[in-house]
Amino acid sequence: MNFLSDTITLPSEDMMNSIMNAHLGDDVYGNDATVNELEKLAAELTGKESSCFMPSGTMANLASILAHSPRGSKVLAGDESDIYIFEAGGASVCGGIMYEPIYTQPNGQLSIESLEQAFPFDEEDPQFALPSLICLENSHNRMGGKVLPLSYLEEVYKFSCDKEIPIHMDGARIFNAAEALGVNVKEITQYADSLQFCLSKGLSAPIGSIVAGTKNHIDKVRRIRKMLGGGMRQVGIMAAPAIVALKNNIDRLGEDHQKAKKLAFGLEKIPGIHIDPSEVETNIVLFKVDPSVMTWEQFLKLTEGQGITLSEMGYGRIRAVIHRHITSSDVDKAIEIIQDVMVQKSHIS
Ligand SMILES: Cc1ncc(COP(=O)(O)O)c(C=O)c1O
């Protein structure tokens, strides 16, 4: 049972068939009909003027940041965000852009007060790098799949308009966020000038992400994608399963959320596991193992030995991600195995 990530999902049979039947062309010339169809669909779904297919979420975030932010400016990004932690400092390397890490609250939010503090007291003072972009993550991976409420998004959006800088949303799992809020994804995206979402996570396509935004922004993103080496030729073979993912797999994300809740409630009953099930909002479950029973490293080793793959998400937090290949009985089995691992270990120690 692999709870490592929703990125491990494999393409469905429908996706494989779509690859065989895709109409292909050279996408660097804009001639791949399948990519064009995907980009049109993604723009419509997110309520944006235009969109661009990208090889990965990392490149999608990077291209969008580079398109928004000039050299020497600073990007305000959460100190627990994927952009800040897991994307190899791309905007600094490629764009001469500084990241200003903003404290991430346990609910995934960056408070207006802490964002405000990143703005220099005197913008005319040439000592300071000027903020050019706010990045939000929704749902928030390292905060356990937390969803940013619409009222918060509205407030940050208003703040960004007052400050005259845009918002880029890392919406790798934005459809999970929409499902959790029970709203159309456009209710969320209206508060972001640009966003990226991943096709290759819960949506289960093998490869790819989308950046969506204004036509002007996406034109810039497309040029930057080429510069980064992400311009691909007959890439309709990747776009075809992505179209299937958007058509078939958004509506099923709620099932993953229910299983995540079920796992959380099961884990709550196990002595030595620390978890609050009310914290679980989407498909990500974070919990801790009481260090008096064992270390998180020992826990991961023992559970792996029993056929359960989990990961660590910083500060000893164990992450279990639910996805299309995890069944309800897998969740039951996982709870049983974790219970056994904890009981055996407490008897030994
Ligand atoms: C929140 C978030 N953003 C961005 C990414 C990067 O996506 P990719 O792995 O496609 O580069 C990930 C990947 O796990 C993620 O969780």
Side-chain angles (χ1 to χ4, degrees):
M1 279 164 279
N2 197 336
F3 293 89
L4 183 64
S5 176
D6 42 11
T7 56
I8 64 125
T9 44
L10 298 172
S12 62
E13 203 180 325
D14 282 359
M15 289 180 186
M16 297 307 281
N17 290 335
S18 75
I19 293 171
M20 295 297 289
N21 298 315
H23 295 288
L24 304 176
D26 188 332
D27 183 51
V28 175
Y29 292 106
N31 287 339
D32 189 299
T34 311
V35 174
N36 295 342
E37 184 187 337
L38 170 66
E39 291 180 345
K40 188 165 174 282
L41 175 63
E44 278 165 12
L45 272 175
T46 54
K48 296 295 179 194
E49 270 175 21
S50 188
S51 93
C52 182
F53 186 41
M54 307 294 290
S56 68
T58 302
M59 195 190 284
N61 282 329
L62 175 57
S64 196
I65 293 171
L66 295 179
H68 282 301
S69 301
R71 287 184 80 77
S73 68
K74 62 180 184 180
V75 166
L76 315 186
D79 60 355
E80 291 286 339
S81 66
D82 201 88
I83 287 177
Y84 183 61
I85 292 192
F86 289 132
E87 300 188 3
S92 299
V93 179
C94 303
I97 296 160
M98 181 176 129
Y99 298 89
E100 175 138 346
I102 307 291
Y103 170 69
T104 307
Q105 299 179 161
N107 58 11
Q109 298 175 21
L110 314 179
S111 73
I112 301 289
E113 296 70 39
S114 46
L115 288 168
E116 180 74 64
Q117 277 172 22
F119 284 79
F121 174 71
D122 176 5
E123 294 214 348
E124 300 300 314
D125 186 333
Q127 295 179 101
F128 300 113
L130 296 180
S132 55
L133 180 68
I134 296 171
C135 294
L136 298 177
E137 185 172 316
N138 194 16
S139 63
H140 201 293
N141 175 31
R142 283 174 66 90
M143 291 299 149
K146 284 279 170 25
V147 176
L148 302 179
L150 294 178
S151 54
Y152 167 75
L153 293 177
E154 188 179 359
E155 196 187 357
V156 186
Y157 191 63
K158 188 174 171 308
F159 172 82
S160 76
C161 293
D162 289 348
K163 295 290 187 187
E164 297 181 347
I165 64 169
I167 290 184
H168 170 74
M169 187 176 288
D170 178 358
R173 299 180 179 84
I174 201 165
F175 291 101
N176 295 85
E179 167 64 34
L181 292 175
V183 300
N184 186 293
V185 75
K186 288 181 202 156
E187 298 280 317
I188 298 176
T189 59
Q190 66 177 321
Y191 299 121
D193 298 280
S194 67
L195 67 131
Q196 83 87 11
F197 70 81
C198 292
L199 295 148
S200 60
K201 297 201 161 63
L203 298 182
S204 218
I207 299 167
S209 273
I210 292 284
V211 181
T214 61
K215 180 173 179 313
N216 181 38
H217 182 70
I218 297 303
D219 287 348
K220 289 186 199 166
V221 163
R222 210 175 285 287
R223 183 179 297 276
I224 293 165
R225 181 186 69 174
K226 184 73 176 89
M227 183 269 284
L228 295 170
M232 296 173 286
R233 304 298 176 175
Q234 286 73 38
V235 69
I237 59 167
M238 278 156 53
I243 293 171
V244 176
L246 288 178
K247 290 188 173 160
N248 296 354
N249 287 347
I250 293 178
D251 288 347
R252 60 155 306 287
L253 292 173
E255 293 171 31
D256 294 343
H257 298 184
Q258 281 166 15
K259 288 174 201 156
K261 272 275 184 206
K262 181 176 165 171
L263 177 63
F265 279 113
L267 292 175
E268 189 193 21
K269 297 199 185 85
I270 303 176
I273 298 284
H274 300 302
I275 183 169
D276 176 357
S278 71
E279 297 281 321
V280 176
E281 296 179 1
T282 55
N283 64 328
I284 297 178
V285 178
L286 288 187
F287 59 97
K288 276 192 163 183
V289 178
D290 198 317
S292 67
V293 181
M294 70 181 111
T295 64
W296 64 263
E297 289 95 336
Q298 287 170 320
F299 177 81
L300 285 188
K301 214 170 161 196
L302 288 173
T303 46
E304 184 73 51
Q306 298 296 316
I308 303 182
T309 304
L310 298 156
S311 60
E312 194 265 351
M313 255 308 123
Y315 318 105
R317 296 168 308 176
I318 310 290
R319 186 183 76 159
V321 186
I322 307 288
H323 50 76
R324 199 168 64 81
H325 303 316
I326 298 285
T327 63
S328 196
S329 67
D330 288 336
V331 171
D332 291 332
K333 268 186 248 157
I335 295 167
E336 246 174 68
I337 291 172
I338 291 173
Q339 165 126 28
D340 288 350
V341 163
M342 294 301 287
V343 169
Q344 277 165 25
K345 187 70 190 174
S346 358
H347 285 163
I348 296 166
S349 47

